[in-house]
Amino acid sequence: MTDNLARKPRIALLFGGRSSEHSVSCVTAAGVLHAIDRAKYEVVPVGISREGEWSLVDADHERWSLASGAAPEVPAGAGTLRLDATRGSRELVANDAGHAGRSLGPVDLVFPLLHGPFGEDGTLQGLLELADVPYVGSGVSASAIGMDKHYMKVVFEAAGFEVGPYVVITDKQWHRDPEAALATAADLAYPLFVKPARAGSSVGISRVDEPSGLRAAVEAAREHDPKVVIEAGIAGREIECGVLEGRGSDAPRTSLPGEIAVAPGAHSFYDFEAKYVDGGAAALSCPAELPDAAVEEVRRLAAHAFDAVGAEGLSRVDFFYTPDGRWVINEINTMPGFTPVSMYPQMWAKSGLAYPDLIDELIWLALHRRTGLR
């Protein structure tokens, strides 16, 4: 608890990272840096390079935005920074030239704005737990489940959700017998969507309309992850719902649902280009035009998915709403895109919680949550 702090809470914003979503993470950080209330919080921006180096970086949000037209990136070799993992220390320590081990003081909270492996997948969360540092978002197990599309589906099926048909190809299966691995997808109805099992932002995803394209799609996915998930396409509308942890023992809160509709033409699905490059590729609408009963049901299911994986802080849950009225769960994202124009903040804004207030609430939740087993 930090209600009695005699100073502003010191918040370390972590972004960048080693995953293929490095630049997306930087853009997310730009949104938070622009909106966070500097009168309430002392903000310490910490960039992680693609090589995994931590350093203090520019706090100007424009440095990390897409305003220049180029993908932002945390530079390598800008300095070495580490978090002292001694329990209770919470100190940031700089190893500058001639100043090895220089303390930059403790932080009260880490706000991880990292997407993908080595940040969103439980690895960073484990480090923060070891260091006894509070942080925004889900813990180790929920982050790991939410990152892995295979085990996520296993958990959702066990929790009673309808999950679309899929197969998994592991690295060992692929090296042992690629043709046999591809044959496991023979019973799936086309089109198929081939995905890295542990990546997000639609990185490495391919739509495959006939068997001849399957092998190349698997190889493309394997450039990002040696484990691949192949999913049968689901006919239905893509509906998303934001979830925010309840205070104390309260139930999770849910936003009004939103819908993504990809414009016909250059994109056959909501791929990376449609999300981040081609501004006219998709229409994002919130609230989605749904019957009242359907809105109530998807919000209930989103909260159930949040609880099923043991999520904390925030999540976005994605569904397919089929023509016959079924809800097929697609995935949960425990660190969704968080720029002001991303779907998660937009859904909460339409639900009455503005972007700066959403940041405040996430920080409040993290500061009032104990570290360790819970």
Side-chain angles (χ1 to χ4, degrees), residues 109-121:
L109 176 76
V110 168
F111 200 145
L113 299 169
L114 295 151
H115 302 300
F118 312 110
E120 191 183 348
D121 59 351

Side-chain angles (χ1 to χ4, degrees), residues 99-177:
H99 297 90
R102 178 171 59 95
S103 174
L104 300 178
V107 295
D108 299 299
L109 176 76
V110 168
F111 200 145
L113 299 169
L114 295 151
H115 302 300
F118 312 110
E120 191 183 348
D121 59 351
T123 50
L124 174 67
Q125 290 73 15
L127 170 66
L128 297 175
E129 292 287 356
L130 287 172
D132 201 29
V133 178
Y135 55 92
V136 171
S138 289
V140 175
S141 60
S143 296
I145 293 167
M147 190 80 258
D148 192 313
K149 295 175 175 64
H150 172 202
Y151 291 114
M152 180 198 307
K153 292 175 187 295
V154 171
V155 170
F156 284 149
E157 286 181 301
F161 286 92
E162 181 176 353
V163 173
Y166 72 99
V167 298
V168 176
I169 297 177
T170 66
D171 189 48
K172 287 185 177 181
Q173 288 173 318
W174 189 253
H175 282 292
R176 187 164 54 238
D177 191 337

Side-chain angles (χ1 to χ4, degrees), residues 146-356:
M147 190 80 258
D148 192 313
K149 295 175 175 64
H150 172 202
Y151 291 114
M152 180 198 307
K153 292 175 187 295
V154 171
V155 170
F156 284 149
E157 286 181 301
F161 286 92
E162 181 176 353
V163 173
Y166 72 99
V167 298
V168 176
I169 297 177
T170 66
D171 189 48
K172 287 185 177 181
Q173 288 173 318
W174 189 253
H175 282 292
R176 187 164 54 238
D177 191 337
E179 294 305 321
L182 291 173
T184 62
D187 293 334
L188 297 180
Y190 285 80
L192 303 181
F193 291 87
V194 182
K195 305 177 179 181
R198 294 159 294 195
S201 300
S202 298
V203 171
I205 297 180
S206 301
R207 173 179 166 141
V208 180
D209 291 304
E210 55 187 26
S212 61
L214 186 56
R215 186 183 186 110
V218 171
E219 292 283 17
R222 281 175 50 80
E223 292 178 9
H224 302 276
D225 189 341
K227 182 178 179 182
V228 174
V229 173
I230 303 176
E231 301 173 347
I234 304 294
R237 296 164 61 186
E238 295 187 47
I239 306 294
E240 303 183 344
C241 190
V243 186
L244 185 62
E245 183 182 358
R247 291 193 173 199
S249 59
D250 291 348
R253 294 163 278 181
T254 56
S255 73
L256 292 169
E259 180 172 12
I260 298 169
V262 178
H267 305 274
S268 59
F269 68 100
Y270 196 42
D271 60 8
F272 184 89
E273 295 288 315
K275 282 184 178 181
Y276 300 110
V277 180
D278 186 350
L284 310 179
S285 59
C286 183
E289 292 188 15
L290 294 166
D292 290 346
V295 170
E296 184 177 332
E297 178 66 358
V298 73
R299 296 178 75 170
R300 182 190 72 80
L301 289 171
H304 180 36
F306 187 85
D307 284 339
V309 302
E312 295 168 295
L314 71 164
S315 288
R316 192 195 70 236
V317 188
D318 303 345
F319 296 89
F320 295 107
Y321 184 50
T322 67
D324 59 355
R326 292 178 296 114
W327 290 101
V328 180
I329 194 164
N330 184 23
E331 65 179 15
I332 187 170
N333 191 320
T334 57
M335 181 47 71
F338 208 77
T339 71
V341 297
S342 296
M343 198 61 163
Y344 183 83
Q346 282 195 66
M347 289 188 292
W348 278 111
K350 293 292 186 178
S351 304
L353 190 62
Y355 188 62

Side-chain angles (χ1 to χ4, degrees), residues 80-82 93-104:
T80 304
L81 188 71
R82 63 180 172 85
V93 179
N95 294 319
D96 302 328
H99 297 90
R102 178 171 59 95
S103 174
L104 300 178

Side-chain angles (χ1 to χ4, degrees), residues 73-97:
E73 185 161 327
V74 177
T80 304
L81 188 71
R82 63 180 172 85
L83 180 68
D84 186 348
T86 305
R87 189 170 186 265
S89 169
R90 301 183 181 179
E91 278 193 311
L92 289 172
V93 179
N95 294 319
D96 302 328

